[in-house]
Amino acid sequence: MPGLNPEMRSDKKVLMCISPPKINWEDPTKNPHMQMANQPDAGRALSQLGKLLHHYDYFGVEVDYLDPNRSLGDQVFTANLAYGLEGTFVMANMSVNHRKPEVPIASRWLVEHRYNVCFLPEFDKSGNPIYYEGQANFVTTATEHFYGYGIRNSLEAVEETKKILRLKKPIKPLELVSPEFYDHDLSLRYFPHRDSIMFCPDAFAGWSVDVIRKSRPANRLYEVPHDMAIQNLGTFGKNFFLNGVYFNDVVTFPWNEDAEEFPPNIRRWLGDDCEIVLIDFSEFGKSGGGHKCVSLFLN
């Protein structure tokens, strides 16, 4: 594997479900990418997932596995199931009915592996449902938690999650307004090695864009245009550029190099003190997901 440094061993641990995605529901208000007529190719999807797993193994990321249920086409996207800190996880309140059965399966696995699990109220004081999709809602930086809400996640979930997990950093809510970026981790990502943020302004309400811009100096912000944030490969799927993972200065991007050169300006902006790994994840993109979507971080 040229260019990769095997001494950069990670202490990260993730929960994954090794299963190809299958599209068994459609709702363009909650995820316009999913179309029953454009099903992921199971073989290509497993090959793409295998490449991500290979890099996890290479860099020492420990992977635990959730047994797949073939009737649950989205179960592979484990990041939606919970959000945790120091061994305690707040379980999801799914807004998509087809995904609700995934939550008790994941909570049982966590309990069996000696993690603590907590549940949010299903409704607020006014009787409105509280929706929450776990890790996919949060992007944590050195100084704050950004929380994305508005498409499939409720603002009301913030205070309860903060209390359960005893979050010390301030939480900055950001309103998502485009169903194409239905979860927060499709629209914004953080790079610890330079305390920098990359985001797609099209995903957010104007006031939220202002919050992001004020959070960092200009040289530590990168605004990604829509056609980069979603690399559209037509019937061959999509890559969600911002939905990569970061561990030990290794940065992954869902990207198809055969279709399009990786942007040189991004390489320059990230600098030489990180390893950039490109893995095409376009079959998962047909369901609206990327590398981070399939990786629930356990520590």
Side-chain angles (χ1 to χ4, degrees):
M1 192 177 296
L4 300 181
N5 182 356
E7 295 180 0
M8 297 172 65
R9 306 298 291 174
S10 174
D11 61 354
K12 297 297 184 184
K13 188 174 184 178
V14 300
L15 178 63
M16 303 182 74
C17 181
I18 307 305
S19 177
K22 182 178 180 181
I23 298 172
N24 53 18
W25 63 277
E26 285 188 14
D27 185 343
T29 67
K30 294 182 178 179
N31 184 339
H33 308 290
M34 297 180 71
Q35 299 177 13
M36 298 282 285
N38 189 23
Q39 292 287 338
D41 180 277
R44 282 199 297 268
L46 289 174
S47 175
Q48 292 172 357
L49 187 60
K51 291 177 181 177
L52 179 61
L53 282 166
H54 176 64
H55 282 84
Y56 280 166
D57 178 67
Y58 184 78
F59 286 109
V61 176
E62 184 178 346
V63 181
D64 281 330
Y65 297 98
L66 191 65
D67 289 338
N69 182 319
R70 294 188 180 185
S71 68
L72 302 175
D74 287 339
Q75 193 184 20
V76 65
F77 301 113
T78 55
N80 298 116
L81 298 175
Y83 177 64
L85 182 69
E86 296 179 354
T88 296
F89 285 82
V90 179
M91 303 307 298
N93 281 350
M94 295 289 191
S95 68
V96 177
N97 286 332
H98 280 84
R99 299 207 64 183
K100 291 182 185 296
E102 299 174 37
V103 179
I105 294 173
S107 63
R108 283 195 297 270
W109 187 95
L110 288 166
V111 169
E112 288 169 359
H113 289 78
R114 299 185 179 182
Y115 294 96
N116 300 314
V117 300
C118 300
F119 297 86
L120 297 177
E122 291 188 26
F123 301 94
D124 64 17
K125 293 179 181 178
S126 301
N128 300 310
I130 297 176
Y131 296 128
Y132 175 75
E133 296 200 353
Q135 180 183 286
N137 295 349
F138 282 92
V139 175
T140 298
T141 77
T143 54
E144 70 264 288
H145 303 279
F146 288 105
Y147 175 84
Y149 72 95
I151 306 297
R152 281 163 43 170
N153 310 298
S154 304
L155 181 58
E156 291 76 12
V158 169
E159 285 305 315
E160 194 69 19
T161 301
K162 181 179 180 179
K163 181 172 65 176
I164 293 170
L165 297 179
R166 299 179 181 179
L167 299 178
K168 300 297 190 295
K169 299 175 186 177
I171 298 177
K172 295 182 178 179
L174 303 173
E175 183 182 4
L176 297 166
V177 295
S178 170
E180 288 191 280
F181 301 94
Y182 57 89
D183 269 335
H184 192 33
D185 58 6
L186 302 174
S187 59
L188 183 148
R189 67 181 297 184
Y190 175 65
F191 300 95
H193 76 286
R194 53 171 298 165
D195 189 32
S196 298
I197 289 172
M198 188 179 290
F199 72 105
C200 180
D202 289 356
F204 298 98
W207 69 265
S208 297
V209 173
D210 291 340
V211 170
I212 299 168
R213 287 173 177 164
K214 291 175 182 177
S215 72
R216 298 291 184 284
N219 66 341
R220 289 196 274 122
L221 287 172
Y222 197 105
E223 299 189 17
V224 175
H226 186 282
D227 60 354
M228 183 188 297
I230 304 175
Q231 185 193 29
N232 196 333
L233 304 172
T235 57
F236 292 100
K238 301 174 182 180
N239 276 302
F240 291 87
F241 187 78
L242 296 169
N243 196 257
V245 293
Y246 188 108
F247 49 89
N248 282 36
D249 296 338
V250 177
V251 181
T252 78
F253 287 93
W255 192 259
N256 186 317
E257 287 185 282
D258 293 330
E260 190 176 357
E261 180 188 8
F262 186 78
N265 51 337
I266 298 291
R267 290 188 184 276
R268 290 193 294 270
W269 184 79
L270 287 172
D272 297 330
D273 51 350
C274 70
E275 295 277 357
I276 297 175
V277 174
L278 308 179
I279 304 172
D280 181 25
F281 232 55
S282 50
E283 293 300 323
F284 293 86
K286 293 177 181 178
S287 294
H291 304 164
K292 191 177 180 188
C293 287
V294 301
S295 308
L296 174 61
F297 282 85
L298 297 173
N299 62 342

